[in-house]
């Protein structure tokens, strides 16, 4: 008896590109914030059968909300979840904000007007990089969520 093989991954090749297309179209006014499935197909760059499969999976998983016809087929998308907004880049994630902080510190160091200012920004960037992405993401998570204790 052979061991069953896992199913092929569809997240990166099918579902995420469709989710990105849905989120982008929902966020754009020309579609009235409720794009039709027909608008998602060209926006995703995938064939319609793959978009339909991805759309069903995304709605079932709670990443998107949709209107259906009497046959239960998806016609329009009406919303995406907060998690979908984070996965597509519309909302920040702790990791993306940590990367932005490091990038900003390095840019400030490069553009500093004085040697003293340049050295301070460079030291800050080096210290932040030394903290590492894992602890940096934890810090950014607290900042994004507003959970950092304030000075008294």
């Amino acid at each position: 008896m052979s061991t069953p093989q896992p199913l092929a991954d569809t997240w990166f090749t099918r579902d995420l590109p469709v989710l990105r297309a849905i989120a982008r179209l929902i966020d754009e006014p020309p579609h009235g914030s409720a794009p039709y499935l027909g608008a998602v197909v060209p926006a995703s760059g995938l064939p319609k059968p793959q978009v339909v499969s991805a759309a069903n999976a995304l709605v079932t998983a709670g990443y998107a909300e949709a209107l259906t016809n009497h046959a239960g087929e998806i016609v329009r998308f009406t919303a995406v979840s907060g998690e979908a907004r984070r996965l597509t880049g519309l909302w920040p994630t702790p990791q993306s904000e940590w990367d932005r902080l490091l990038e900003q510190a390095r840019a400030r160091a490069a553009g500093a007007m004085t040697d003293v200012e340049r050295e301070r920004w460079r030291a800050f960037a080096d210290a932040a990089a030394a903290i590492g992405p894992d602890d940096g993401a934890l810090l950014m998570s607290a900042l994004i969520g507003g959970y950092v204790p304030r000075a008294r």
Side-chain angles (χ1 to χ4, degrees):
M1 187 169 203
S2 65
T3 305
Q5 296 297 315
L7 297 174
D9 174 89
T10 59
W11 177 250
F12 291 105
T13 59
R14 185 191 75 186
D15 300 346
L16 185 57
V18 171
L19 182 60
R20 286 182 175 142
I22 293 167
R24 185 172 49 251
L25 293 172
I26 281 178
D27 224 40
E28 291 179 354
H31 300 281
S33 298
Y36 285 97
L37 179 70
V40 174
V41 172
S44 71
L46 296 171
K48 185 176 180 180
Q50 286 189 14
V51 173
V52 169
S53 295
N56 286 320
L58 294 167
V59 169
T60 300
Y63 289 115
E65 294 177 18
L67 297 175
T68 59
N69 62 18
H70 292 295
E73 299 165 331
I74 293 174
V75 177
R76 282 184 100 136
F77 297 93
T78 58
V80 292
S81 68
E83 182 62 16
R85 289 182 174 279
R86 283 182 280 283
L87 288 169
T88 59
L90 291 176
W91 281 1
T93 63
Q95 295 80 7
S96 68
E97 291 306 293
W98 181 248
D99 292 341
R100 285 171 33 118
L101 176 85
L102 290 174
E103 179 184 320
Q104 192 60 222
R106 290 179 181 130
R108 299 259 177 170
M113 299 294 245
T114 67
D115 289 339
V116 171
E117 184 183 6
R118 184 176 303 105
E119 190 50 44
R120 285 181 181 159
W121 280 111
R122 198 173 287 142
F124 178 76
D126 291 345
I131 289 172
D134 294 335
D135 288 332
L138 287 173
L139 173 63
M140 296 315 289
S141 178
L143 289 172
I144 291 168
Y147 303 121
V148 176
R150 306 286 184 227
R152 294 178 193 211

